[in-house]
Amino acid sequence: MPRKQSIHGAWANRWIFILAATGSAVGLGNIWKFPYIAGENGGGAFVLVYLVCILLVGIPIMMSEVLIGRRGRQSPINSMRETAYEAGHHGRWAGVGWMGALAGFLIFSFYSVVAGWVLYYIAGMGVGQFVDLGSEQAGLIFNGLLADPATLLIWHTLFVVIVMLVIAGGVNKGLERATRVLMPALFVLLFVLLVYSMNSGHFAEGWDFLFHFDPSELSWDAVLVALGHAFFTLSLGMGSIMAYGSYMGKGDSIGGTVLTIAALDTLVALIAGLAIFPIVFANQLDPGAGPGLMFITLPVAFSQMAGGQVFGFLFFLMVGFAAWTSAISLMEPGAAWLVETLGLSRARASLLLGVVVWALGLLALGSFNVLADLKLLGMTVFDFLDFITANVMLPLGGLFIAIFVGWYLTREMTEDELSLRSALIYHAWRLVIRYVSPAAVAVIFALNLYQKFADGMS
Ligand code: PHE
């Protein structure tokens, strides 16, 4: 019989689970990464493919992760093993959980570097350092920050520490408390900024850039990036959502909950795009500027607007909150495993993981300065970590999860956990998880790797 509750605790109610999982999903991926990769990949065409990936791959796999977590009621590693046993299979399925935990560390190590930039900008905006900037000056400030390992180290360290504090608090006194405070604040700030950008005078151009579908813009490359991003932005393929699912109430519906989370995540990404691109166009900046998009273009815009310092401060604060709640979920699978398998206290588990990801982060941090010449597959460590996680490990983890749930778990198990309202919806889900999602991931994933290695070789 499946357990009733995880030893780590349970969310107070269904809405807390939705908010916590949305907190995991909504992060730098939505506000920093989505706009810049949409910008680099031609806008509308990319956005459309990304939306299709969310629907056909993201949502069914997210349902699967929540299902495994709630059935296993343990860390992803142990839940994978437990559910495999229950279905009469080999415990080596735990390997998917191991790969996920590793992906979590690797993502964390570059995530916290970018989050560190965000903290730096919160502070800068807060003390009014970015007044009257031209785009050249803003570029100098950003590049100056990247070239300065000591400053980067301070902010990176601070970010790792605030995540450790929440993890040490545990599910109810840490994760849930952070969720209750940060998520409502995030939504309010996002709304304020959307209204602001709607009045910037260039809203229509931003809208057009994101939603104008021009098939000629559609490259294979864009499809590959869109799939990887669908996993990254929904926190899938590595166990974050599985861990959160293990704290979910038995009576709560998985289908409706997952749809809400995916919809909120997508909405935040689109709103972030709609807040950022009008400002980009209003200031004749380049939408394809890359990772610096948010950090260079926005300070310019904010510095020239009435009240821009306040809005700039609020904007980066919001990004900081979003990054914080996501990073917590990157660490939770590992922390839960350490507690249940090695018997560590939450505080010890958090300290141990914090030190590991902090140290790994130094490599990502150095990519912009002292380690700039260190290349893996032709990429800096930072770019490599981003590529290997988002485009390889997460899709691969998602592929295994889809195959596991679709082909290895028994029908009774999945039907019982999902308890979907109609048999028709269950059949549709099962069809998608058995055939459509794995096929889509396998094809795109294979092309992705092929292209990367072909490019690397030439
Ligand atoms: N979904 C988060 C974001 O968009 C990143 C993340 C990925 C978090 C994987 C957890 C797991 O920023």
Side-chain angles (χ1 to χ4, degrees):
M1 254 328 264
R3 292 162 210 248
K4 292 231 161 45
Q5 201 183 327
S6 159
I7 59 161
H8 307 287
W11 306 115
N13 56 53
R14 173 167 173 262
W15 269 99
I16 293 293
F17 170 65
I18 291 181
L19 280 188
T22 305
S24 164
V26 171
L28 294 171
N30 304 61
I31 310 171
W32 163 68
K33 206 171 175 195
F34 172 74
Y36 98 72
I37 57 180
E40 282 180 339
N41 290 285
F46 171 86
V47 174
L48 187 73
V49 179
Y50 154 80
L51 292 175
V52 172
C53 289
I54 295 277
L55 269 180
L56 286 185
V57 181
I59 291 174
I61 292 185
M62 191 187 272
M63 289 169 69
S64 307
E65 282 204 28
V66 176
L67 180 167
I68 299 170
R70 193 169 68 176
R71 190 77 176 185
R73 289 282 187 221
Q74 291 168 74
S75 66
I77 296 171
N78 292 332
S79 285
M80 285 296 296
R81 183 184 299 110
E82 190 87 8
T83 46
Y85 284 158
E86 194 193 337
H89 295 291
H90 200 285
R92 71 166 80 92
W93 280 102
V96 177
W98 281 106
M99 184 175 75
L102 179 65
F105 294 160
L106 298 180
I107 295 175
F108 198 115
S109 63
F110 72 91
Y111 207 82
S112 85
V113 172
V114 180
W117 304 346
V118 174
L119 297 183
Y120 173 84
Y121 276 76
I122 297 175
M125 290 279 174
V127 300
Q129 197 189 327
F130 302 122
V131 208
D132 219 10
L133 289 184
S135 45
E136 220 165 286
Q137 269 169 301
L140 285 177
I141 292 182
F142 182 63
N143 292 320
L145 171 66
L146 294 190
D148 177 0
T151 307
L152 290 175
L153 184 65
I154 294 174
W155 298 107
H156 161 67
T157 307
L158 180 64
F159 186 74
V160 175
V161 169
I162 63 174
V163 174
M164 279 163 55
L165 289 176
V166 177
I167 290 289
V171 175
N172 297 103
K173 293 210 190 90
L175 278 62
E176 184 167 322
R177 204 192 277 170
T179 300
R180 283 182 193 269
V181 178
L182 298 178
M183 293 311 289
L186 184 118
F187 288 126
V188 171
L189 290 175
L190 190 69
F191 182 73
V192 170
L193 286 155
L194 180 67
V195 172
Y196 191 60
S197 112
M198 287 172 93
N199 294 317
S200 72
H202 291 256
F203 190 72
E205 270 171 82
W207 180 276
D208 203 53
F209 182 75
L210 280 178
F211 298 117
H212 181 76
F213 177 64
D214 177 358
S216 71
E217 294 271 7
L218 200 57
S219 68
W220 263 118
D221 222 27
V223 176
L224 314 174
V225 178
L227 176 83
H229 189 64
F231 278 98
F232 188 83
T233 191
L234 293 178
S235 306
L236 297 179
M238 51 76 54
S240 281
I241 295 294
M242 206 184 284
Y244 280 23
S246 71
Y247 313 136
M248 183 191 190
K250 172 71 186 148
D252 299 342
S253 112
I254 292 183
T257 304
V258 163
L259 280 183
T260 313
I261 298 163
L264 284 173
D265 182 75
T266 307
L267 203 67
V268 174
L270 296 177
I271 292 179
L274 287 175
I276 289 178
F277 285 114
I279 303 177
V280 170
F281 294 118
N283 293 278
Q284 287 99 40
L285 299 162
D286 173 17
L293 184 69
M294 183 176 98
F295 295 97
I296 298 177
T297 56
L298 291 186
V300 176
F302 287 131
S303 84
Q304 292 163 358
M305 293 168 183
Q309 287 296 295
V310 176
F311 279 108
F313 173 75
L314 291 178
F315 178 85
F316 283 103
L317 193 65
M318 168 186 88
V319 183
F321 284 176
W324 193 3
T325 52
S326 295
I328 292 166
S329 75
L330 283 166
M331 210 184 253
E332 180 60 22
W337 184 82
L338 285 173
V339 171
E340 65 201 28
T341 310
L342 300 188
L344 296 194
S345 65
R346 288 290 299 198
R348 289 241 162 99
S350 145
L351 188 66
L352 187 67
L353 292 174
V355 170
V356 172
V357 294
W358 177 82
L360 262 178
L362 298 183
L363 291 175
L365 190 156
S367 300
F368 300 98
N369 37 71
V370 285
L371 299 177
D373 294 330
L374 180 61
K375 296 277 162 70
L376 299 165
L377 291 181
M379 292 173 266
T380 62
V381 178
F382 181 92
D383 290 337
F384 177 76
L385 287 170
D386 181 9
F387 165 74
I388 201 79
T389 52
N391 296 355
V392 181
M393 295 175 87
L394 300 187
L396 200 61
L399 179 67
F400 282 128
I401 289 168
I403 293 173
F404 178 63
V405 168
W407 297 91
Y408 287 84
L409 291 190
T410 64
R411 232 192 125 105
E412 292 67 45
M413 285 171 80
T414 55
E415 219 164 1
D416 173 45
E417 274 312 316
L418 289 179
S419 306
L420 291 166
R421 235 171 269 141
S422 86
L424 194 70
I425 303 182
Y426 175 75
H427 284 302
W429 168 80
R430 195 163 145 94
L431 195 79
V432 172
I433 204 71
R434 300 187 94 187
Y435 300 98
V436 182
S437 314
V441 176
V443 169
I444 300 177
F445 179 62
L447 277 168
N448 191 354
L449 273 187
Y450 172 77
Q451 187 152 10
K452 203 79 198 176
F453 285 112
D455 286 354
M457 237 95 82
S458 62

